[in-house]
Amino acid sequence: MKLIKLEQPSCTPCQLVSNYLKEKGIEFEAIDVTVRPEVAAEYGVMGVPVTILLDGEGKEVKRSSGFKPNELDELIFKIENYK
């Protein structure tokens, strides 16, 4: 499983999500949508932050929009129980 986070550098909620995931010891790939808008388009993302959990084949399993600790915890639970 892989966790990606679509973000913008100046976005405060984006920074909150990053800090939250780092505090939990979760690895993720941060993708700046201002540099890579094609990734936002690929996942149908209209606003950031969006955190997406992908399976081993790169298919979306679950996503969280904004800074919602409960939703992020659900993603973390899925990652931890996948191992």
Side-chain angles (χ1 to χ4, degrees):
M1 295 199 127
K2 178 180 181 179
L3 195 63
I4 61 172
K5 182 173 74 78
L6 285 75
E7 63 178 13
Q8 290 178 331
S10 61
C11 167
T12 299
C14 296
Q15 294 166 5
L16 291 172
V17 171
S18 290
N19 291 339
Y20 190 82
L21 294 173
K22 287 175 185 174
E23 287 173 5
K24 299 281 186 173
I26 301 299
E27 292 182 23
F28 61 94
E29 178 184 354
I31 300 170
D32 183 344
V33 297
T34 60
V35 175
R36 299 188 54 204
E38 72 279 3
V39 177
E42 176 183 348
Y43 290 103
V45 172
M46 303 298 287
V48 292
V50 173
T51 309
I52 303 173
L53 180 61
L54 304 173
D55 67 13
E57 297 175 5
K59 295 181 182 173
E60 183 174 330
V61 174
K62 189 165 180 66
R63 76 169 53 196
S64 172
S65 299
F67 177 59
K68 298 175 186 153
N70 290 340
E71 288 182 9
L72 293 171
D73 287 341
E74 288 178 27
L75 297 177
I76 292 168
F77 180 80
K78 286 188 176 294
I79 291 168
E80 291 175 343
N81 288 308
Y82 179 77
K83 295 178 181 177

